[in-house]
Amino acid sequence: MSRPNRIPAITDESDAERLLRQLQRATETILEPTAAEEALEFYLEDKARECRKSTVDSHRSRLGFFVEWCESINAVQPGLFKKIKSPTIPDEKVARETTLHVSRGKEIVTHLDRFEYAWVEHVGWLLLTETSV
């Protein structure tokens, strides 16, 4: 059986204010302001420990645009990068060796011909199925 939480007795308003200040101090987190570019570099350094250089370069390229946008609108809380852990991917899951059969590729293109004609995905699948051996 669990014990109920003990709630301190509040005799007057000054006690409530004092308890509130104590609670605020106990839960405050001091954030260090960090520029978006610096946060990106921290992230890329973390990634470099477990990823190939090409992966890190790809992240740098794509995230560079995001950093410029976040910086332009001041939308992120300073120090956010410290709270996010990069996922680790085991070596055996870095790349798949799955074969797409020609018949399945044609089924996908037929579906896209009908429902998503000339969309990027349709064009990509069309090129893939027409140029693959």
Side-chain angles (χ1 to χ4, degrees), residues 38-55:
E38 186 179 3
L40 175 60
E41 288 307 315
F42 286 136
Y43 172 78
L44 294 173
E45 286 173 14
D46 185 50
K47 276 302 208 197
R49 287 187 220 119
E50 60 194 43
C51 296
R52 294 186 174 118
K53 183 181 181 320
S54 60
T55 302

Side-chain angles (χ1 to χ4, degrees), residues 63-81:
L63 291 173
F65 297 109
F66 180 73
V67 166
E68 290 173 16
W69 176 75
C70 283
E71 187 174 87
S72 70
I73 64 169
N74 295 320
V76 293
Q77 182 180 26
L80 180 63
F81 73 94

Side-chain angles (χ1 to χ4, degrees), residues 97-111:
E97 294 184 14
T98 305
T99 303
L100 177 69
H101 294 283
V102 175
S103 60
R104 180 66 179 137
K106 288 183 179 182
E107 287 175 17
I108 293 170
V109 169
T110 301
H111 172 82

